[in-house]
Amino acid sequence: MVEAMSLSATYTARRDQMFPTLSPDEIARIRRFGEAAAFEAGARIVRAGDIAPGLIVIVSGKIEISQDDGSDRHETIVVHGPGSFAGELAQLSERPSLVSAEAIEPVDAFVIPSRRLRDLMVQEATLGERVMRALILRRVGLLESAGSGPIIIGRQNDGNVVRLQGFLTRCGHPHRVLDADADPCARCLVERFHVDPHHLPIVLCPDGRLLLNPGERELARCIGLVKAIDETKLYDVAIIGAGPAGLAAAVYAASEGLSVIVLDCRAFGGQAGASARIENYLGFPTGISGLALMARAYTQAQKFGVEMVIPNEAEHLSLAATDDGQQFRLRTEADETVHAQAVIIASGARYRRLDVANLTQFEGASVHYWASPIEARLCAGQEVALVGAGNSAGQAAVYLASQVKTVWLLVRGVGLEASMSRYLIERIEAQPNIKVLPETTVTGLDGQGEALESIRWRNRQGEEGMCPIRHLFLFIGADPNTDWLAGSDIALDEKGFIRTGAAAGHERHPLETSRSGVFAIGDVRSGSVKRVSAAVGEGAQVVAALHACLAGRRRQPRVPQSMRMT
């Protein structure tokens, strides 16, 4: 194996783990999972944007791995030799390849398809761990090098550029962002495709397709993040929501042999995925970013064969009678149907919005609902305002304080003690550039177009003020994401959260809803503890109830034709 260039810190620091060489004995052990293959010199084995055949284990010969991003850019990442294997995380779930592979001399190899790659992970635990670590590190290297995946071309600070960049970042998908006004390559691409500047941003996908200011779902389908749902398959369980609760349930259910499909309307991770740093989660004494924690869970779920359909929003839940009993049907925004024997609702909550008339005007470019490095770069060195008093607000304030001149923390209550963990309060008090304004609310926003110029506020004493602020962060809680359950006979409390256990009916499992076979976990459940650890715990706990539910359904007699209902 010869490394052609150093693309990132990870490629340099962890090269041996990223590109391990398997011994003859290890190759013999994993050969049973693959199928023999041979490639002539010069053969294009896979092109970026196409589905790869699987993990390619090289017995003899050499394969060049390169980055091709849909433009004229071509960079060699590595040259694999005997004992090496070609592939990264995309091969774990039959997603389009992020890199190209070409045989530079005759190659004798065997190919392990995705379904058998997952078998390798389970049946050869030690060797599977080495392979999985390499796949993860290769994805990290691609993310750091920003040389693979789609290219977003638009103007700096454009709200739609921020939106698309944020979506791909939350999905853990490599991409590049080029400034249409300052980058020569961007201007060249705009001219080549004859794009009117008013149509920016555009996205150039690895397969050469061009999208004009696409929505997240359109972009996801173009780059292969979302596959069509198999409407003929009956899953053991469908999970709605890929936050901590949903991913935990998926991992535990799939690891115990259940067939699992997960849907989410946005990206994996939920609100936890937007946390700059989580420091009170068991097992991470130095803390971990929410995105990193959720990315591990997402990869872990795929390792056990969970089918991820993200983004794809569930729009309606119904129960249907069949020849074999009953099953649930989930209709999605893509007009597809998921059939499942049981359903776990982990749809979480939607970010609450300020009651300000022109808020929508500034969302995306100037008003933000999470604080990631993307938003931090937009407001580096500036003064920003942040509204909220919970742990998420505290984490965001501390993170932004390291990037900006001043953080004005507007709190509706008398202080932070009632709603924020003590360690965060102490950290905020220790930051000289975080200014807390208690009993204060935002009353107005002023600016031109998408650009916010100032905010107006009022405190409880009636004093009004104005701050020249260009970026406003909102962490003011969330409302339950349950509107889509209208007409499904799922009982909700007065605030719209899902009732479970005794509150949902007699002799119910604590996590079961008013409809048998449907469970609710995480933030969407009435009375839940709004913490990542609690959500993960409920995700694990619900699987035991799920097994009992499925066992009962398998014992049910067929429903007579005359009694069937939809």
Side-chain angles (χ1 to χ4, degrees):
M1 183 275 294
V2 179
E3 186 175 4
M5 63 181 298
S6 178
L7 298 175
S8 71
T10 300
Y11 278 87
T12 301
R14 305 185 70 175
R15 182 180 63 249
D16 292 342
Q17 292 178 312
M18 187 179 289
F19 302 116
T21 300
L22 304 178
S23 68
D25 177 64
E26 289 172 327
I27 291 177
R29 284 163 51 194
I30 67 173
R31 185 184 287 272
R32 62 190 175 96
F33 297 99
E35 300 173 356
F39 307 99
E40 297 179 354
R44 177 61 66 93
I45 300 171
V46 64
R47 187 186 304 273
D50 295 340
I51 303 285
L55 192 78
I56 303 171
V57 182
I58 303 168
V59 179
S60 65
K62 293 181 180 180
I63 295 177
E64 178 195 55
I65 305 299
S66 62
Q67 295 185 137
D68 299 293
D69 56 17
S71 65
D72 294 329
R73 191 166 182 250
H74 177 94
E75 293 181 327
T76 299
I77 299 173
V78 67
V79 175
H80 289 302
S84 300
F85 53 86
E88 59 94 45
L89 282 179
Q91 279 65 71
L92 195 60
S93 54
E94 295 181 324
R95 296 296 196 273
S97 177
L98 295 173
V99 297
S100 297
E102 181 177 337
I104 58 177
E105 60 182 53
V107 172
D108 178 29
F110 58 91
V111 179
I112 304 177
S114 295
R115 57 182 176 78
R116 295 294 284 157
L117 181 56
R118 293 190 290 268
D119 292 337
L120 165 64
M121 301 293 180
V122 174
Q123 297 177 30
E124 290 282 353
T126 302
L127 187 51
E129 180 183 345
R130 288 183 65 197
V131 173
M132 176 62 83
R133 182 181 293 110
L135 302 185
I136 292 172
L137 290 174
R138 291 176 188 182
R139 174 60 64 91
V140 171
L142 293 173
L143 287 167
E144 290 178 351
S145 65
S148 299
I151 305 174
I152 303 171
I153 302 170
R155 294 187 174 87
Q156 189 176 18
N157 299 341
D158 182 294
N160 285 312
V161 172
V162 176
R163 171 180 59 84
L164 294 170
Q165 186 180 12
F167 168 70
L168 291 172
T169 298
R170 291 286 298 273
C171 290
H173 197 86
H175 60 279
R176 296 170 64 198
V177 180
L178 303 180
D179 189 333
D181 295 326
D183 192 292
C185 182
R187 290 198 298 269
C188 179
L189 289 171
V190 169
E191 293 173 1
R192 177 194 297 180
F193 290 101
H194 308 290
V195 177
D196 188 314
H198 293 95
H199 292 157
L200 295 174
I202 60 174
V203 178
L204 180 61
C205 297
D207 64 1
R209 281 184 287 176
L210 185 73
L211 306 179
L212 301 177
N213 192 19
E216 286 88 343
R217 295 184 185 95
E218 181 185 359
L219 174 57
R221 292 187 183 280
C222 181
I223 62 178
L225 283 180
V226 180
K227 298 187 295 184
I229 293 172
D230 183 356
E231 298 189 5
T232 66
K233 182 175 181 177
L234 177 62
Y235 294 88
D236 289 323
V237 60
I239 300 176
I240 315 305
L247 288 178
V251 167
Y252 285 105
S255 68
E256 295 180 14
L258 300 181
S259 59
V260 183
I261 186 171
V262 175
L263 287 80
D264 195 287
C265 63
R266 187 175 297 108
F268 68 80
Q271 293 186 69
S275 295
R277 179 163 293 274
I278 300 173
E279 295 186 70
N280 58 352
Y281 188 70
L282 187 67
F284 292 89
T286 60
I288 185 172
S289 74
L291 182 58
L293 180 64
M294 292 298 97
R296 294 183 183 191
Y298 178 73
T299 300
Q300 191 174 18
Q302 291 182 90
K303 168 185 174 181
F304 289 115
V306 174
E307 292 187 36
M308 296 289 183
V309 187
I310 304 173
N312 198 350
E313 186 170 12
E315 290 190 337
H316 184 68
L317 170 65
S318 61
L319 179 65
T322 69
D323 289 339
D324 296 319
Q326 294 179 328
Q327 62 181 237
F328 292 99
R329 292 179 179 173
L330 280 160
R331 191 179 70 242
T332 75
E333 55 84 23
D335 199 27
E336 295 176 303
T337 302
V338 176
H339 302 271
Q341 295 192 75
V343 175
I344 296 175
I345 302 173
S347 51
R350 292 193 179 98
Y351 295 108
R352 217 169 268 158
R353 304 165 80 239
L354 279 180
D355 186 17
V356 177
N358 59 344
L359 178 70
T360 305
Q361 174 183 341
F362 304 108
E363 286 180 322
S366 300
V367 174
H368 314 285
Y369 293 90
W370 49 79
S372 75
I374 296 173
E375 289 75 31
R377 284 194 294 270
L378 291 176
C379 53
Q382 305 175 30
E383 294 192 7
V384 303
L386 191 154
V387 182
N391 276 1
S392 294
Q395 291 161 353
V398 170
Y399 170 68
L400 289 171
S402 67
Q403 309 290 319
V404 304
K405 180 180 179 181
T406 305
V407 177
W408 295 94
L409 183 56
L410 281 62
V411 179
R412 184 173 58 180
V414 296
L416 303 172
E417 288 75 11
S419 54
M420 190 179 293
S421 295
R422 187 65 213 173
Y423 82 94
L424 282 171
I425 296 175
E426 292 177 355
R427 190 163 296 169
I428 287 172
E429 291 173 345
Q431 302 298 318
N433 63 336
I434 300 181
K435 310 296 183 183
V436 181
L437 301 179
E439 300 182 301
T440 302
T441 57
V442 174
T443 58
L445 306 175
D446 301 300
Q448 299 292 325
E450 293 183 329
L452 180 66
E453 296 174 357
S454 63
I455 68 170
R456 287 173 276 124
W457 55 265
R458 180 188 300 116
N459 63 23
R460 192 162 293 179
Q461 290 71 42
E463 298 172 336
E464 297 187 351
M466 186 274 290
C467 298
I469 295 290
R470 294 168 56 189
H471 291 278
L472 173 64
F473 292 82
L474 301 180
F475 289 81
I476 54 178
D479 296 314
N481 184 12
T482 53
D483 293 346
W484 65 279
L485 290 171
S488 62
D489 275 345
I490 303 295
L492 309 178
D493 67 13
E494 62 280 359
K495 294 182 179 179
F497 292 91
I498 300 175
R499 295 184 185 275
T500 58
H506 298 296
E507 298 181 359
R508 295 282 180 188
H509 184 275
L511 299 177
E512 192 170 21
T513 70
S514 56
R515 169 158 271 184
S516 177
V518 180
F519 303 84
I521 57 176
D523 289 359
V524 76
R525 188 177 68 82
S526 180
S528 67
V529 178
K530 304 299 188 284
R531 289 287 187 272
V532 173
S533 56
V536 172
E538 290 186 6
Q541 181 185 356
V542 76
V543 174
L546 184 62
H547 280 299
C549 170
L550 294 176
R553 285 184 176 274
R554 294 183 184 112
R555 291 194 299 268
Q556 288 179 353
R558 291 187 175 185
V559 180
Q561 182 71 37
S562 60
M563 297 177 60
R564 293 181 190 179
M565 298 176 61
T566 57

